[in-house]
Amino acid sequence: TQEALDEARRARELLPDSDEAMRFLAWLLAEAGQPDAALREARQAVERRPRFAENHNVLAYVYFRAGRFREAAEEYGRVSELQPDNAFALHMRGTALHSAGDLDGAMAAYRAAIQVAPQSQTWANLGEVQYTRGEMTEALRSFEEAVRLAPASGAIRRALGNARHRTGDTKGAKSDWLAAAELSRR
């Protein structure tokens, strides 16, 4: 990654006003574990072109990588404002809020993402929030939908088994856990 960082820095020097160069350097710096430098670059990209969703997306990613989940959620929210049909931004807003411990906010963001484009991981994450809150019937439904969309996921199948177990369906839980183990072996 050092070679890539060096090249990105050179591009940034050659194109000092390019938000694309700023974004790319920010992303690489975040990957390299340099959050302060990454934040500087990502913020400059946003300042350069504040209505460009990808600039906010990279800033959100940098915040997320730095463990600054509330700020990440805010930026993913800005991406969603600029691109209301961006299910990924809504999903990541939910993930950031979930990571920050805001279960209500996470549920709302996951549900909004599902309305735009239902994805297995979003359903699974919604199920995890519901499971954590003790809403087993709802969690079970969410995990079932996640499994329907991603039948080859051992992790999601295991989560479904856990929800079945908590609802008292030990036979169904055992079946799901065995299927999860087999899927994971594959």
Side-chain angles (χ1 to χ4, degrees):
T1 57
Q2 188 56 50
E3 186 178 341
L5 269 172
D6 292 342
E7 287 298 316
R9 284 187 177 109
R10 273 194 284 283
R12 182 76 171 85
E13 289 172 12
L14 291 171
L15 304 165
D17 294 328
S18 168
D19 62 308
E20 183 175 359
M22 295 168 194
R23 251 191 344 268
F24 185 59
L25 180 56
W27 184 83
L28 286 173
L29 288 164
E31 289 292 309
Q34 298 178 39
D36 293 336
L39 281 170
R40 275 192 306 276
E41 290 297 323
R43 285 178 182 142
Q44 285 180 19
V46 167
E47 288 172 16
R48 181 81 180 129
R49 237 183 349 156
R51 303 280 309 147
F52 188 56
E54 190 56 28
N55 290 343
H56 291 281
N57 191 51
V58 169
L59 180 55
Y61 173 75
V62 171
Y63 277 133
F64 193 90
R65 290 277 305 196
R68 295 170 64 172
F69 302 119
R70 293 244 177 240
E71 290 148 305
E74 288 176 27
E75 286 303 316
Y76 283 122
R78 286 187 184 93
V79 174
S80 298
E81 290 167 9
L82 294 168
Q83 295 177 330
D85 62 341
N86 188 328
F88 175 78
L90 291 164
H91 172 92
M92 287 306 299
R93 178 173 167 74
T95 301
L97 290 168
H98 194 171
S99 298
D102 180 355
L103 300 184
D104 291 337
M107 281 182 56
Y110 290 143
R111 286 184 173 136
I114 287 167
Q115 290 299 312
V116 172
Q119 301 291 319
S120 63
Q121 194 58 55
T122 308
W123 276 107
N125 287 9
L126 176 60
E128 287 295 333
V129 172
Q130 293 162 328
Y131 185 92
T132 299
R133 292 169 55 126
E135 301 168 356
M136 290 306 125
T137 302
E138 293 83 0
L140 188 62
R141 275 185 279 206
S142 294
F143 288 132
E144 286 172 340
E145 188 60 22
V147 166
R148 186 186 72 74
L149 292 169
S153 171
I156 294 173
R157 193 63 180 263
R158 178 191 46 78
L160 175 59
N162 293 346
R164 285 195 203 285
H165 180 70
R166 289 275 304 269
T167 62
D169 180 4
T170 54
K171 185 177 178 181
K174 182 179 178 181
S175 175
D176 285 326
W177 291 334
L178 289 172
E182 179 58 32
L183 289 166
S184 295
R185 269 195 283 277
R186 288 185 202 160

